Amino acid sequence: MFGEGILKGLAETARNFLGSYVSKKRLTTVQYPEQRLPQIEAYRNFPFLVYDGDDWQQGLRCVSCFICEKECPPKCIIIEKSTDKKPDAVGKLQFYPKVFNIDVSVCMSCQICVEVCPFDAIKMDTDFELSSTDRFSGLLWDKKHLAKSNEHYHKIHPTEAAAVDAQLAAERAKIAAKTKATAEAKPATPTPPANANGAGPNAANQPVPTATEK
Amino acid sequence: MTMSPIQQADQFFVTSQHRFVSYLPAEFQSLTSAILSVIAIVLVFALLFAITTVLERKGLGRIQNRYGPNRVGPAGFFQPLADGVKSLTKEDLVPRTADQMVHFLAPVLLVTAAFLAYAVLPVGRNMVLVNLNAGILYFFAVGSLVELAVFMAGWSSRNKYSLLGGMRAIAQMISYEVPLVLASVVVIMAAGSLSTVSIVDMQASYTGIWPHWFVFTPWGFAGFILFMIAATAESNRSPFDLPEGESEIIAGYYIEYSGFKFALFFLGEYLGMFATSGLAITLFLGGWAAPFSFLTWIPSYLWFFAKLLLLIVIFIWIRGTLPRLRMDQLMSFAWQFMLPMTLFNLFVAGVWHFMPSGIVRWLVCIALLVAPAILLSRSLKQGKKFAVRHYRFAE
Ligand code: SF4
Ligand code: SF4
């Protein structure tokens, strides 16, 4: 009949209207600033720089290799290399970034910087409340703003961080074995030494650190 | 002149205005009382606009199982204040190529035209700004100014979307103006007057407890439904909101408006809706008259606004339910259904007038209305094959 569908529709919307006052299940809205949904582990937003230990300057893993700067599609990473060296996450002496800026207004959250970094120095953060009243310098984040502790990384992405930590520990062990081996090999003949850590016999010949694949 | 307390409550605004004016010198009296009435109308209906926007947003939210605005003030009821502050402080952009003068005048004209219509609406007993003896004619004449304003906005923006929206608005409003007027002609026939005041007076009497509203006759009921459909289209409300179809022409004729001018468009649109609803109340729902004779002690203006709120709620409900029509559906509905039905309704009103009262008159008139409605809706459906559409370029 003419108009039957309209009446059906009106009944449906009336049911929704009244139902939303009766059953709380219908209202799925989360009242955001007061209520929050639990964060999903795979969520990612903007990059941050990981540091180990308590001192964010000393512990910074980044060795200023410029790979991320070159790979970043919108070119929003700006790095300046230091002149001196400091030990990196695995204990080797490396350069460190004097300046490390990311323009988050340009960053498109593609995670490519994270994929390419061979030193596990840059990871994706989950913080999304980033608005600033200063649209220029407020959105150009410097090294200090970007540096976040490894504990923070563990908090936001526990599985991933654990895997990274295990890998770094293995590399540290390799380095330790290598230095020990070279120390032992110096006075003795250059035969391969007995491996104390159980790593393969050619572990000492591998380039360190290895490129990480995730 | 003595009045009972009920009458005093009913005539409170009228008498207080008279008392205030009587303190003034004689030559200012009529002018001051007119200005007072105008101020009252502007304030009351602007306030009603504010209330309606909150109610609408909350109602639509609930219909979609959302909360709607609930932040500003208690339960979000101060939202219009926040909206007002926002639209006043926003930058007012005018396109460089726009026709500056017309661009500025369009929203002003829209709001002015909408407010002018209230001059002939009796919102209570003795509460009408002017009792024109061609009141309804005046109402429609002023109402058609809205079309001009809308087209001015669409044309002066120099934007293809706004022009399309303006043209849609013109086509739609002119098409639906015809059934709107024809649907109200039945009342003019029955009342024998074009004056809104005397039309309401005719309906404000009772048989037993039942009122004599025109909506309680076959032709009045059909006329009311047709009038409300046409009024929805006239005020550009969903499902007839094609002129502002966001999905295809972004916002239609007010795409180039921002800040306070945009708010004025909003205001004008809602005022137009209130005015046509007010006219529907005046014509079919007995104006300020109480629905039962034992409820006449409630002041008349309260009844008017209660009915107005009821119609607004229905408008919101419809908006939350129906999707937007397509342009050709809109047009064929206007010319192939609305127009013939309103013409039939005129005929039925004549039959009703000349037949002796009784059950036979009811049956004949209802049959005379239902039969063409069914036939017309059948013929509208005919020739329409409902099948899956294939789009050449959108696969
Ligand atoms: S996430 Fe993508 S866009 Fe953002 S800094 Fe990293 S590489 Fe650049
Ligand atoms: S790729 Fe990693 S180590 Fe290299 S500059 Fe970027 S963050 Fe630092």
Side-chain angles (χ1 to χ4, degrees), chain A residues 49 62-68 79 100 117-119 121-122:
Chain A
L49 293 174
C62 174
V63 301
S64 184
C65 70
F66 294 104
I67 297 180
C68 58
I79 303 176
F100 196 116
C117 176
F119 297 91
I122 190 164

Side-chain angles (χ1 to χ4, degrees), chain A residues 44-47 68 71-77 102-104 106-114 116 122 124:
Chain A
R44 60 194 169 91
N45 195 345
F46 288 109
C68 58
E71 292 289 337
C72 173
K75 296 274 170 276
C76 63
I77 304 182
I102 297 184
D103 191 340
V104 291
V106 177
C107 172
M108 59 188 193
S109 309
C110 65
Q111 207 183 339
I112 287 180
C113 50
V114 177
V116 298
I122 190 164
M124 293 308 265

Side-chain angles (χ1 to χ4, degrees), chain B residues 15 28 69 95 172 182 188 190 217 237 259 268 272 319 362 381-382:
Chain B
T15 43
F28 294 127
Q172 167 178 337
L182 283 177
I188 300 167
T217 54
R237 298 259 322 168
R319 176 168 173 195
W362 274 88
K381 265 190 195 164
Q382 238 155 39

Side-chain angles (χ1 to χ4, degrees), chain B residues 182 184-194 199 202 214 219 342-343 345-354:
Chain B
L182 283 177
S184 40
V185 164
V186 283
V187 173
I188 300 167
M189 281 165 65
S193 164
L194 275 166
I199 287 174
M202 279 198 75
F214 290 133
W219 52 267
T342 44
L343 290 173
N345 202 25
L346 284 183
F347 174 68
V348 171
V351 171
W352 177 271
H353 187 73
F354 287 112

Side-chain angles (χ1 to χ4, degrees), chain B residues 161-294:
Chain B
Y161 294 117
S162 70
L163 185 59
L164 277 174
M167 277 159 52
R168 277 186 183 192
I170 289 283
Q172 167 178 337
M173 286 176 156
I174 288 177
S175 301
Y176 278 89
E177 190 100 38
V178 178
L180 187 76
V181 175
L182 283 177
S184 40
V185 164
V186 283
V187 173
I188 300 167
M189 281 165 65
S193 164
L194 275 166
S195 151
T196 47
V197 175
S198 48
I199 287 174
V200 175
D201 284 341
M202 279 198 75
Q203 300 177 75
S205 54
Y206 301 86
T207 314
I209 58 162
W210 303 106
H212 289 171
W213 298 358
F214 290 133
V215 74
F216 297 129
T217 54
W219 52 267
F221 184 73
F224 175 64
I225 301 285
L226 292 167
F227 187 92
M228 286 316 286
I229 294 175
T232 322
E234 273 296 290
S235 47
N236 287 337
R237 298 259 322 168
S238 163
F240 302 112
D241 53 352
L242 287 104
E244 57 210 67
E246 296 91 349
S247 50
E248 64 270 10
I249 49 171
I250 312 171
Y253 51 88
Y254 51 68
I255 183 171
E256 294 290 7
Y257 285 90
S258 51
F260 201 63
K261 287 187 200 151
F262 183 81
L264 280 183
F265 267 103
F266 230 65
L267 175 67
E269 204 155 279
Y270 275 79
L271 287 177
M273 182 181 108
F274 300 156
T276 32
S277 306
L279 189 67
I281 292 167
T282 308
L283 293 179
F284 298 101
L285 299 182
W288 42 258
F292 299 107
S293 59
F294 53 83

